[in-house]
Amino acid sequence: MSFLNIDSVKDRTFDAIVIGSGISGGWAAKELTGKGLRTLVLERGRDVKHITDYPTTMMQPWEFQHLGQLTKEMREANPIASRCYAFREDATHFFIKDNEHPYVQEKPFDWIRGYQVGGKSLMWARGTQRWSDFDFEGPARDGFAIDWPIRYADIAPWYSYVEKFAGISGNKDGLPQLPDGEFLPPHEQSCVEKHFTDEMAKHYKGTRPIIIGRCAHLTKPQPIHYQQGRAQCQNRSLCQRGCPYGGYFSSNSSTLPWAAKTGKMTLRPDSVVHSIIFDEKKNGLTSGRATGVRVIDAHTKEMTEYYARIIFVNAACLNSNLILLNSKSNRFPNGLGNDNGLLGKYVAFHNFRTTISAEHDGFQDTTTEGIRPNSSYIPRFRNVFKQETDFLRGYAAGFGSSRMTTIDTSAMGEGLKSSLMQPKYGNWRVSSHMMGETIPKESNYVTLDSSLTDAWGIPQLKISVAYDDNDEKMIRDFHEQMSEMLTVAGFKNIQTHDVPDKAPGLDIHEMGGIRMGKDPKTSMLNKWNQLHACKNVFVTDGACMTSTSTQNPSLTFMAITARAADHAVKEMRKGLL
């Protein structure tokens, strides 16, 4: 005879469960605890405490065994992770290693992941732009994908809300395609970037603006940031190591400590979520709802169930898809909420495959001083106000500059020191990378492999995502337009760079698979990010996105999460959840 341990079940029961502790999970934790909910935050990776667990953050270059570079052995052991720009000797501990978490590439895809408390918020690129109605209305306008169930007016107050707390640097540029926000003082453009900005304004009559990037850095901290224990960004540009000053936004420095201060958060690292539990009873308080989650201890492999009235899924886009696909029951044999068979489909990303570079022989009397953790930014200018090309949607681009230098590496002793202190300056060099919007398609999908499992017995994720003809046309247009723009501005030695066999994924902007929409027949989530078929489950990370826009998505994840959490708590208090 066995007896139900009532005390044990009570200890494992919360008001809310948040799966994931990255950018969106941290915001869910902050908002739910701040509204009084006892919240369990589940993180599959190890604990990383702010400052304490940033082992390389204050190290000098010569203190690294390999001077910050990857060894041949490390590259060969991690052919996927090592393609990421931030996977260097100073930050490899924040990235998962290829052999630890395998997945199936039905088509080549570089899946970059960070499994620890804070997730990829520790090493993200920190670009933060608002979306506009040109983005939310894009699918409805051109008829590809489905219409968003929200518009800019629905999320604008939440953009303001999260911007003030996170701390976003930028300039009020007055652009309809890139709405202004609640900005801290902007970084400064270099003289060459200002020159390019001015030349574009003159030649294109304001239709191709160049602005300083908007980013999650504290250029002038406000009282709310000091209350978080954060300080001004020191412009070290060592962000991937974790910032001891809290100068850039991360879950570790901001939202999670804030949630912890409420006394309402229970953070459980090393907790691999297996699936969400669905109550199939036709009668009862929880019938037709999710009641909790099954969790596997990362080390002991023991499975434990935790329970809550609402569940926020913020495991990062592809893992959130995996969890719902693996949450099978008699009611949902193909994954939780998957009545329409669309779960895992219409995955999209940003096309970062191509770049362009050039030189300028002017401004020989100037150079840069110090480091800037930001660059200039070219907002989308193609197909914004009307369809004008042979491809759909458009692209934005980063734009950076530096003065070319030559150092006499053959020198020794005092000669080498002198060369390092007084390098020979050459021309200015600029570079730009495209960030193209890709169109969500049913042929871009993720599913569970039928035979392969991971170390915890969970089916491996099978990824089938690829570029299409629209992406190729966009790349060609980027080359043509940027070459023209650089030529007009007096740049020389213009060179385009494209790697056609470079797989998607290194943008680290996966979106979709559990998309929002108005119709349960064509979407998984409603306008509040609730599963149509299971209203107490919310998905607010990249998986919820209906389309990708051209802007960096993290700020939108934050705003959508805060909005959904507010709605969830209000519905709970009405007794509707």
Side-chain angles (χ1 to χ4, degrees), residues 522-535:
T522 58
S523 62
M524 294 293 298
L525 307 170
N526 66 15
K527 66 179 181 179
W528 300 109
N529 296 81
Q530 298 166 280
L531 280 173
H532 288 299
C534 188
K535 291 293 199 297

Side-chain angles (χ1 to χ4, degrees), residues 301-348:
K301 310 293 176 66
E302 179 184 2
M303 183 178 285
T304 307
E305 294 183 354
Y306 294 90
Y307 309 99
R309 287 175 62 184
I310 59 172
I311 298 168
F312 270 67
V313 184
N314 302 93
C317 176
L318 298 188
N319 271 322
S320 289
N321 275 273
L322 189 158
I323 290 169
L324 263 62
L325 284 164
N326 202 43
S327 300
K328 298 180 179 181
S329 61
N330 292 326
R331 169 67 180 84
F332 297 113
N334 299 312
L336 184 63
N338 193 20
D339 285 337
N340 52 26
L342 297 180
L343 177 60
K345 298 179 180 178
Y346 296 97
V347 172

